[in-house]
Amino acid sequence: MDHHWSKKKVLVTGAGGFIGSHLIERLIDLGADVTGFVRYNSRNDWGLLEIIPPHMLDSLEVVSGDLLDFDAISGAAKNVDVIFHLGSLISIPYSYNRPRDTIENNILSTFKYLNRGKGTGCGKIRPYIFKRGIWHGAVCAD
């Protein structure tokens, strides 16, 4: 086991997506204390988190909310060591029809998470994943 992640408090946004759900599985395997942030919907659907192994669900806290809601972000990020910000609107056709929604969700939410990390005395804030031609998110880490 990689002891670096053991007992680390980790927040993963976009937890219901393909990358987020697989990252959560790996972090749980490595002993991290993981919170997954999923976009609220009226069905209380957790996306791909619903198909991870049941024993992992017992080790996971899931928070539903909106990435543009600073209170939701602050609550989910409280007392965490690391934030993996993967949450975004990913539909390319939707972005053509609703560019403002896409900018607000993908850029402003990232800005809010970066500010949240800065406000906690985070040691380093750095980009961590390159996807679809843009840096997508940041890690707040020691």
Side-chain angles (χ1 to χ4, degrees), residues 10-124:
V10 180
L11 171 65
V12 178
T13 71
F18 181 81
I19 296 171
S21 62
H22 283 82
L23 175 61
I24 284 173
E25 287 185 53
R26 183 67 178 139
L27 289 167
I28 290 171
D29 279 343
L30 294 173
D33 181 10
V34 183
T35 299
F37 192 92
V38 297
R39 186 174 188 175
Y40 171 79
N41 62 67
S42 61
R43 298 178 313 279
N44 198 30
D45 180 354
W46 291 357
L48 293 176
L49 283 180
E50 294 185 358
I51 61 171
I52 68 171
H55 72 279
M56 289 188 168
L57 284 176
D58 294 339
S59 303
L60 174 67
E61 178 183 356
V62 178
V63 175
S64 296
D66 188 320
L67 290 174
L68 293 174
D69 179 350
F70 189 76
D71 291 335
I73 290 170
S74 292
K78 187 174 185 174
N79 299 319
V80 300
D81 301 308
V82 178
I83 300 171
F84 287 96
H85 176 46
L86 293 166
S88 68
L89 294 178
I90 60 170
S91 171
I92 300 299
Y94 183 82
S95 70
Y96 295 147
N97 296 329
R98 304 297 299 251
R100 182 183 179 126
D101 289 350
T102 304
I103 289 168
E104 287 177 350
N105 278 278
N106 296 359
I107 296 172
L108 293 180
S109 67
T110 300
F111 179 75
K112 287 181 180 187
Y113 271 98
L114 290 171
N115 277 331
R116 175 67 183 133
K118 185 174 78 172
T120 62
C122 173
K124 293 180 184 177

